[in-house]
Each structure stands twice: as C-alpha cells, then as structure tokens.
C-alpha cells in the first residue's frame, strides 16, 4: 500500500462563539496529502498541513489548478512512501485544488510608488518594506498620474509572506481610494532630523507628502536644503521658504554629488523623475493659452517606461510623457495592447502636446495575442514558469499550446503568446497558445 497524509479540518461552535479551527493529521493508506499552499514557483511547491511545512519537487507532476495562490487548499498525489519530511522516496504525480478556495477574501497593500514597468509595480510601505507585484492582466486606475511617491493601493487575493508576492492574484491597482490612503497616511511616522541634504537629480518640492499635492518649487541637482524629517516610505520633510514642505527622498543625500555626476537616485540608478537639465520637468497641465480642444489618438503600445508611453498609429510612432495623465486599463499596460490617448495640443508640434488620459480601447483585440519574453525558471509536466526582464514571474499551461521549443532548459530565453483579452480574476496560471525560442540579442 502507498502511505500518505490527509489533513482533516473540524469546526466547533459554542453558542454564538466561533472557536478556532482545529486540524488533525492522520496517516492513511493513500498516496496523497492535503495542505495549504505556501509558495509555488517552477518545480518547487511548498505546503503546510497545519503542523509542518513540506517542500515537494513537482517537475514530474501535472498541475490541475489555475489559481495557485498562497493560502489555497491543495491535494498532492504521489507515488512511494512519505516518511516524515523525507522526500527522497516519493514522486509527485499530480497537484490539484480542493475546489473550495473561494473563501479567500480580497486584501489591500498600501504604499508609495517606487517603480512601474510593463509587468510589475513596486510600492514602499510605511515601515520601509518594498513589495513588487505583477501588474499585468489586472485593472489599473490612476487619477494622479504615475510619479514616484504617489500613494498606491494594490488589491489582491492570496497571502503575501514577507516580501514574497509571487503567489497572489492582483485584482486592481489604483491611487483613487482616498479613504484607505488617508488611513494609511495617518499611520505614517516621521523621524525628526536636522541636516543639510543635496539633490542627486532635479526633484519637485511639494505642499504635502503625496504627488497630488501642490508643487511649491523645485530643487536642482547639486543644490542643498535643510531636511527636518524622514519617513521610511520614501518622503522627507524639508524647510522651504520658512515653512514645512516635502520631497520624495530617493533623490536626497547628505553628501554633495559631483558636478559631472548623472542625474540619479541615491542608489546610483537613473532618475525616474523626468529631468530637464538639472531641474525636474514641470508637472504638465493644459495651459489656457494652448490648444484646449481635447483630441484622441488610438494606437498600439510599442514601449512603456515610468514616465513615457510609445504608441504606433497611422504609420508613425509617438512618445509622450504620461507622468501626469490619468490611466484606465482593463488588463494592464503592455506592449501590443490597443490604447486611446486623450490629449490637447498639436501632434505636429510635440512640445505642445499634454496627455490628459490613457485608456484601453474597447475592443483591445491585440490582447488576444499578448506576448511575454523571459527566461525559463523551471517547469513541470504541463507548466512552464518564466521570469520577465523586469522581474515578473509568470506560469503558463503548455498543454494544448503550439510548442516550438526543441528542449526546455533553465535560463533559456523564450517568447510565450497567450490570449489575455479577459483573464479570469482568480487566475495566476495562464493558458499558453504558442511557445517559441526568443531571438538571441
């Protein structure tokens, strides 16, 4: 007989009081284990049965679930004899969910924007902890533009363990949740300091510690200011014209930068705040004297950065600053997506163009053939996990896909085509349509 472990859950009620759920682990003569998902990536599956954590090699298993979220209840089928936590004598053949994972409720992570790429978003919480979430295939709604320091709410299903966000499903990313943001801002603690700091790049000086607050002035690269407070979420309080003001602190250092140093964050990375010489580029508003008639342009996304969006339309490519525009996407902002730009100004005079809003086109047909390039992290019998250049970890079902790979090796660069027009909200594993070797650079 094949040995295994089954977790049995019981719930007792006393009057109206709900007692804590109890787990009983018994050994039965079946090659299966029920457990709660801790982490899944590539061929490594970690679960807990209520008392112990187990790490399984699932490279020879088939995965029969599309929502491998931390906290989900799974069944692991295996061949061989499981003795304690010794995995050397077993072979996992199948993983499936129990079908009762709808109990997981939506959760929110609130923090200030550190970085936004095509596939990821990074926020910094009040305690200074940075969380990077997968930002593709979910709803985006930004009212205050995309600038570092903007307060962001990430709504997700699953469990964030420490800084591990791989096994959560992001539902929505927005800066338009004022009540939740205000509650988090109240919790923000500012450590008092009294020091002279210098700007490593041009940066805005604001009325408050949020990017939707009024711009009072700017600090040019190399110029100094007195800092009076530091918060771990990225904002610094400074003295500006005899009053308290705020600067996103990634650009402030106690050591004066060299005159020939490039505009950068304090960690040496290039500035994400758009620069105009040694000053930050002004926040864009449609001025009275410019063309104020709103116009639209629909095209295909060619490139995405923190501040700009490149769109191909009518045989031309346009690159526009979108840092101060509203954003509304049904499934993220990705290369190949169809978007509509709402702007004022003249396309023939790029300096006059101010983008007011970017949103998905209603049809968004291009998302039917969404493409993701990355390196293979690992694989199971029916799934392939890749990591994109910007750090997103994505798992695809390869059963039913046109697989043009002669072999699958970790570190191999591949391109996966998938239909992403309307991914189900609970999915964290997506169905691939085609798998190809990516062009070597």
């Amino acid at each position: 007989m094949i040995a295994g472990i089954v977790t049995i859950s019981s719930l007792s009620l006393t009057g109206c009081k709900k007692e804590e759920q109890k787990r009983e682990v018994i050994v039965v003569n079946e090659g299966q284990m029920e457990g709660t998902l801790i982490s899944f990536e590539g061929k490594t599956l970690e679960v807990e049965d209520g008392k112990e954590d187990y790490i399984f090699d699932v490279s020879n298993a088939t995965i029969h679930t599309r929502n491998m979220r931390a906290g989900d209840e799974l069944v692991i089928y295996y061949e061989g004899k499981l003795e304690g936590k010794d995995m050397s004598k077993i072979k996992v053949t199948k993983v499936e969910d129990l079908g009762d994972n709808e109990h997981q409720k939506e959760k929110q992570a609130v923090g200030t924007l550190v970085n936004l790429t095509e596939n990821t978003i990074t926020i910094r919480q009040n305690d200074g902890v940075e969380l990077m979430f997968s930002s593709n295939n979910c709803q985006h709604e930004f009212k205050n533009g995309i600038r570092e320091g903007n307060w962001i709410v990430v709504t997700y299903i699953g469990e964030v363990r420490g800084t591990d966000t791989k096994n959560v499903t992001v539902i929505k990313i927005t800066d338009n949740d004022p009540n939740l943001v205000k509650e988090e801002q109240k919790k923000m603690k500012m450590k008092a300091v009294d020091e002279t700091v210098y700007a490593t790049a041009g940066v805005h000086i604001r009325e408050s510690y949020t990017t939707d607050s009024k711009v009072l002035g700017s600090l040019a690269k190399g110029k100094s200011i007195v800092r009076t407070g530091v918060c771990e979420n990225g904002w610094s309080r400074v003295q500006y014209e005899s009053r308290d003001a705020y600067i996103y602190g990634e650009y402030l250092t106690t050591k004066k930068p060299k005159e020939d140093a490039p505009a950068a964050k304090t960690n040496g990375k290039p500035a994400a705040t758009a620069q105009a010489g040694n000053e930050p580029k002004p926040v864009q508003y449609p001025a009275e004297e410019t063309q104020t008639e709103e116009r639209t342009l629909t095209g295909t996304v060619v490139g995405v950065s923190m501040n700009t969006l490149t769109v191909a339309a009518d045989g031309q490519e346009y690159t526009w600053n979108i840092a101060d525009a509203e954003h509304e996407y049904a499934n993220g902002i990705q290369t190949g997506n169809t978007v509509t730009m709402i702007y004022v100004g003249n396309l023939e005079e790029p300096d006059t163009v101010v983008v007011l809003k970017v949103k998905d086109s209603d049809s968004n047909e291009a998302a039917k053939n969404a493409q993701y390039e990355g390196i293979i992290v690992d694989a199971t019998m029916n799934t392939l996990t890749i990591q994109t250049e910007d750090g997103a970890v994505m798992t695809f079902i390869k059963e039913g896909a046109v697989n043009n790979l002669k072999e699958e090796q970790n570190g191999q660069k591949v391109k996966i085509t998938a239909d992403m027009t309307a991914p189900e909200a609970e999915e964290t594993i997506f169905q691939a349509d085609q798998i190809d070797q990516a062009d070597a650079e």
Side-chain angles (χ1 to χ4, degrees):
M1 301 292 288
I2 300 175
I5 295 177
V6 173
T7 302
I8 298 177
S9 300
S10 63
L11 188 66
S12 60
L13 297 175
T14 303
C16 295
K17 183 178 181 182
K18 183 178 177 181
E19 293 187 352
E20 185 176 349
Q21 192 176 37
K22 298 178 180 179
R23 288 179 177 268
E24 179 184 0
V25 180
I26 61 173
V27 178
V28 297
N29 291 322
E30 294 180 21
Q32 67 183 55
M33 170 189 282
E34 292 183 13
T36 303
L37 175 63
I38 296 175
S39 178
F40 169 66
E41 182 177 346
K43 67 178 183 180
T44 303
L45 176 69
E46 185 176 1
V47 299
E48 62 176 350
D49 69 354
K51 293 183 178 180
E52 300 283 351
D53 294 353
Y54 296 85
I55 299 177
F56 293 95
D57 180 345
V58 293
S59 55
N60 294 307
T62 54
I63 309 298
H64 291 282
T65 173
R66 300 285 287 271
N67 56 335
M68 293 279 274
R69 295 187 300 253
D72 283 352
E73 300 294 331
L74 304 178
V75 185
I76 299 94
Y77 298 88
Y78 57 87
E79 297 174 354
K81 187 175 182 181
L82 180 61
E83 297 179 343
K85 298 177 70 172
D86 182 7
M87 304 294 166
S88 63
K89 297 179 181 179
I90 70 165
K91 173 185 174 183
V92 180
T93 58
K94 184 171 65 173
V95 178
E96 62 181 23
D97 63 49
L98 285 173
D100 61 351
N101 292 322
E102 299 304 316
H103 67 280
Q104 293 216 50
K105 297 181 179 179
E106 292 183 359
K107 304 178 181 69
Q108 284 82 31
V110 184
T112 55
L113 179 62
V114 175
N115 195 27
L116 180 71
T117 68
E118 184 172 345
N119 295 296
T120 68
I121 187 169
T122 303
I123 64 172
R124 182 183 288 116
Q125 299 178 115
N126 275 340
D127 58 3
V129 173
E130 290 189 7
L131 298 176
M132 184 177 74
F133 293 91
S134 175
S135 63
N136 50 32
N137 309 309
C138 67
Q139 184 181 355
H140 289 198
E141 183 183 307
F142 298 116
K143 294 294 184 184
N144 302 319
I146 301 175
R147 284 187 176 272
E148 291 174 292
N150 189 6
W151 286 82
I152 301 293
V153 178
V154 179
T155 302
Y156 64 92
I157 301 174
E159 299 288 342
V160 174
R161 297 182 180 267
T163 59
D164 184 358
T165 62
K166 292 191 300 295
N167 299 119
V168 305
T169 302
V170 177
I171 305 300
K172 183 178 181 180
I173 302 171
T174 183
D175 65 356
N176 192 30
D177 196 337
N179 292 331
L180 191 56
V181 167
K182 286 179 181 178
E183 285 301 312
E184 201 65 20
Q185 287 176 338
K186 289 178 183 177
K187 302 175 187 176
M188 191 181 81
K189 296 180 180 179
M190 190 77 67
K191 178 184 176 182
V193 296
D194 183 6
E195 57 191 7
T196 298
V197 291
Y198 302 85
T200 61
V203 65
H204 296 288
I205 302 173
R206 294 186 178 270
E207 189 173 48
S208 187
Y209 40 82
T210 175
T211 57
D212 62 349
S213 65
K214 182 180 179 181
V215 175
L216 302 177
S218 64
L219 193 63
K221 183 175 78 72
K223 298 299 182 180
S224 66
I225 199 167
V226 174
R227 178 161 62 186
T228 62
V230 176
C231 180
E232 290 186 346
N233 69 8
W235 284 95
S236 287
R237 185 179 61 208
V238 297
Q239 275 291 302
Y240 179 69
E241 295 183 345
S242 301
R243 60 172 292 184
D244 284 343
Y246 297 86
I247 291 177
Y248 188 64
E250 287 281 302
Y251 299 96
L252 299 177
T253 176
T254 55
K255 185 178 180 180
K256 186 174 182 177
K258 296 180 179 179
E259 290 187 7
D260 58 352
K265 296 184 180 182
T266 51
N267 59 13
K269 292 183 178 179
T273 296
Q275 304 288 299
N278 287 332
E279 295 278 350
K281 278 191 175 180
V283 174
Q284 292 184 313
Y285 302 103
E288 293 292 334
E289 63 271 15
T290 65
Q291 171 59 261
T292 57
E293 178 186 355
E294 291 187 7
R295 306 180 182 215
T296 62
L297 177 73
T298 299
T300 302
V301 176
V302 176
V304 182
S305 77
M306 181 81 165
N307 301 117
T308 65
L309 186 68
T310 301
V311 174
D314 302 325
Q316 297 188 56
E317 287 190 3
Y318 303 91
T319 299
W320 285 334
N321 187 329
I322 58 169
D324 302 304
E326 289 186 34
H327 302 263
E328 189 177 297
Y329 314 125
N331 64 335
I333 181 69
Q334 302 176 64
T335 300
N337 275 11
T338 303
V339 295
T340 297
M341 320 281 284
I342 301 173
Y343 68 96
V344 295
N346 187 342
L347 288 181
E348 296 179 359
E349 300 176 19
D351 291 343
T352 70
V353 173
V354 175
V355 180
L356 305 178
K357 187 172 184 178
V358 188
K359 63 179 182 178
D360 281 338
S361 168
D362 290 337
S363 61
N364 211 357
E365 291 295 313
K368 286 185 177 180
N369 296 301
Q371 293 185 340
Y372 302 91
E373 289 193 8
I375 60 171
I376 295 177
V377 175
D378 256 322
T380 70
M381 296 298 289
N382 68 327
T383 66
L384 192 66
T385 300
I386 66 170
Q387 184 172 27
T388 62
E389 186 176 350
D390 52 2
V393 176
M394 304 182 69
T395 299
F396 295 88
I397 297 173
K398 56 188 178 183
E399 283 179 324
V402 177
N403 193 341
N404 294 318
L405 299 181
K406 295 181 180 179
E407 58 182 351
E408 296 173 0
Q409 294 183 342
N410 288 2
Q412 180 181 357
K413 191 173 183 180
V414 296
K415 178 170 63 178
I416 297 180
T417 304
D419 184 351
M420 294 296 189
T421 49
E424 296 297 329
E426 70 270 14
E427 290 185 6
T428 54
I429 303 179
F430 306 101
Q431 176 64 55
D433 291 334
Q434 185 169 317
I435 306 172
D436 297 292
Q437 177 75 34
D439 295 334
E441 296 183 358

